[in-house]
């Protein structure tokens, strides 16, 4: 009992290894030390035995490897409970969500540039553009606003470029093919364009 209190994980492994040395271990009333397997009469009160694969898996866990339990072993593990220190801590929810969506774990957290853009849209009374949001959210190299992107819509985007240049340095190309900018949009664009942007497409814009 003292060993169990001082080193619970190691003591559990030792006990499980001892249980696994023979096919059946009887700890019921009436068993005596030194009795052979033929002398032991199994009873309904016999403690559940552990199979060697389960002990091996738990031993792997003690060495830092995550044990894998399937079928009957999983039910045994659930009923016994995992000894302390055998299983690694679960990954964060954001990482699990990223795996489920097939995304890079680095994209699981929404960048600050998205909230900044939404705030500026509210300030100027414009509708957030889906193309801009996707590019900011997933840090795409190409920013391409969708249709109905006019001169006024450039203001919110320009503020993000000017105030948070490090947050949008992933943008290397701005494609305004679907935008409809005129002279005022050209003024905003000329003030906000960043040196990190290598390509700018202005086809279909009356500039």
């Amino acid at each position: 009992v003292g060993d169990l209190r001082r080193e619970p994980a190691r003591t559990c492994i030792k006990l499980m290894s001892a249980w696994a040395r023979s096919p059946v271990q009887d700890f019921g009333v009436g068993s005596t030390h030194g009795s052979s397997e033929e002398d032991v009469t199994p009873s309904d009160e016999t403690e559940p035995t552990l199979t060697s694969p389960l002990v091996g898996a738990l031993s792997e866990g003690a060495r830092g490897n995550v044990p894998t339990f399937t079928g009957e072993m999983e039910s045994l593990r659930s009923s016994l409970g995992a000894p302390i220190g055998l299983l690694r801590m679960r990954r964060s929810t954001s990482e699990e969500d990223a795996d489920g969506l097939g995304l890079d774990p680095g994209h699981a957290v929404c960048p600050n540039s998205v909230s900044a853009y939404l705030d500026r849209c509210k300030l100027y009374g414009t509708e957030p553009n889906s193309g801009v949001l996707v590019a900011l959210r997933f840090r795409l190299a190409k920013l391409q606003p969708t249709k109905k992107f006019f001169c006024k819509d450039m203001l919110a985007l320009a503020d993000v470029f000017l105030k948070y240049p490090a947050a949008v340095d992933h943008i290397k190309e701005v494609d305004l093919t679907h935008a409809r900018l005129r002279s005022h949009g050209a003024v905003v664009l000329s003030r906000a364009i960043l040196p990190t942007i290598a390509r700018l497409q202005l086809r279909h814009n009356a500039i």
Side-chain angles (χ1 to χ4, degrees), residues 30-45:
S31 62
T32 58
H33 293 289
S35 300
S36 63
E37 291 187 32
E38 290 76 7
D39 297 332
V40 176
T41 302
S43 65
D44 294 337
E45 299 175 0

Side-chain angles (χ1 to χ4, degrees), residues 16 19 47-50 54 58 69 71-83:
M16 292 173 185
W19 289 340
E47 294 288 336
T49 60
L50 297 176
L54 177 58
L58 292 174
F69 302 96
E72 181 182 355
M73 293 171 65
E74 171 61 25
S75 62
L76 280 172
R77 186 203 66 80
S78 301
S79 62
L80 292 171

